[in-house]
Amino acid sequence: MAIAIPIATGEVLAGTGFIAGTQGGTFAIVTALHLLGRSTDIRIGFPPHGGNVASPQTYPSPSMPALPAKLVLTEFLYDLAILLVRNPGLNAPVPRYIFDPAEIGVGEEVLVVGYPFAPIGSMLETVEPCCVSAIGRRLRPHGGSLDELILSHQTHPGSSGSPVVRKSDGAVCGIVRGCLAPPGVLSIGNLPIGTDTNVTYATTAHILPALLSEAFAIGVE
């Protein structure tokens, strides 16, 4: 299963990313582009449970080791960002990917792994089961379309960038992009804390191998 990690901009938790690949001591982290805003100070956290979400997690957590990350690649249409982190000592498995979106069907069970409510300080990683409720075809403003997974999942602030993995084998099939949030949802300040719908949009993971190859070619330096 993919190892999800919290993403911070400056000193503020923003959402979720996951370790997507490695090359020569450099790790690639995938997250949602919109989480980063205009920040140039991007950090990734390393939770005490080491990415093993089955382990007990102590909360509230007073601190979490973090490393600076370099934004090397963005893909606006897919709302994806690739970060590189140089850390020869980090040991983390690289997930398997589903390269053909047609392998995921409507009704299939998947898991969303991430840090819901990260923007309000939560460092608890959760695994939330749901299913693919539809295959969406998002129309692009200037023509063409993009296929997406529509999930029966209630997304919260911090869930964006979470990997979506197939329950049967743990392969990454998507990345959470956002949710249908109707007006007037319950909020804390300007942060919505829930919706009255369970409609989440996820970018399919088939695009990741090409993006990761391009990111590693750019490198950290």
Side-chain angles (χ1 to χ4, degrees), residues 21 51 55 118 163-164 169 182 214 221:
S55 298
V164 181
D169 61 4
E214 187 177 349
E221 301 298 332

Side-chain angles (χ1 to χ4, degrees), residues 67-205:
L67 286 175
K70 179 183 179 183
L71 175 62
V72 296
L73 196 64
T74 61
E75 179 52 74
F76 177 78
L77 289 175
Y78 290 91
D79 190 27
L80 290 177
I82 310 293
L83 311 171
L84 293 185
V85 176
R86 180 70 178 171
N87 185 1
L90 180 63
N91 184 19
V94 174
R96 293 183 298 110
Y97 297 102
I98 295 176
F99 299 130
D100 183 358
E103 289 187 35
I104 297 295
V106 173
E108 188 152 5
E109 291 184 294
V110 294
L111 305 171
V112 176
V113 186
Y115 289 82
F117 300 114
I120 57 175
S122 174
M123 293 186 184
L124 279 176
E125 180 183 359
T126 63
V127 176
E128 300 180 66
C130 59
C131 71
V132 178
S133 55
I135 304 297
R137 184 153 292 167
R138 177 162 54 101
L139 298 179
R140 296 167 55 178
H142 304 293
S145 62
L146 301 172
D147 284 358
E148 295 183 321
L149 302 178
I150 310 301
L151 309 177
S152 59
H153 177 259
Q154 191 167 20
T155 293
H156 301 287
S159 296
S160 292
S162 295
V164 181
V165 303
R166 186 162 55 185
K167 185 177 180 180
S168 61
D169 61 4
V172 175
C173 58
I175 306 94
V176 171
R177 182 172 67 84
C179 66
L180 174 63
V185 298
L186 184 64
S187 64
I188 298 178
N190 62 351
L191 289 175
I193 63 171
T195 73
D196 57 8
T197 65
N198 286 343
V199 178
T200 288
Y201 307 97
T203 299
T204 55

Side-chain angles (χ1 to χ4, degrees), residues 16-78:
T16 305
F18 66 97
I19 297 174
T22 181
Q23 186 178 92
T26 298
F27 284 79
I29 311 297
V30 170
T31 189
L33 176 59
H34 73 264
L35 290 178
L36 307 180
R38 298 180 178 274
S39 177
T40 57
D41 181 11
I42 304 169
R43 301 171 185 271
I44 62 169
F46 289 98
H49 64 286
N52 180 6
V53 72
S55 298
Q57 300 178 61
T58 301
Y59 66 93
S61 177
S63 63
M64 182 182 294
L67 286 175
K70 179 183 179 183
L71 175 62
V72 296
L73 196 64
T74 61
E75 179 52 74
F76 177 78
L77 289 175
Y78 290 91

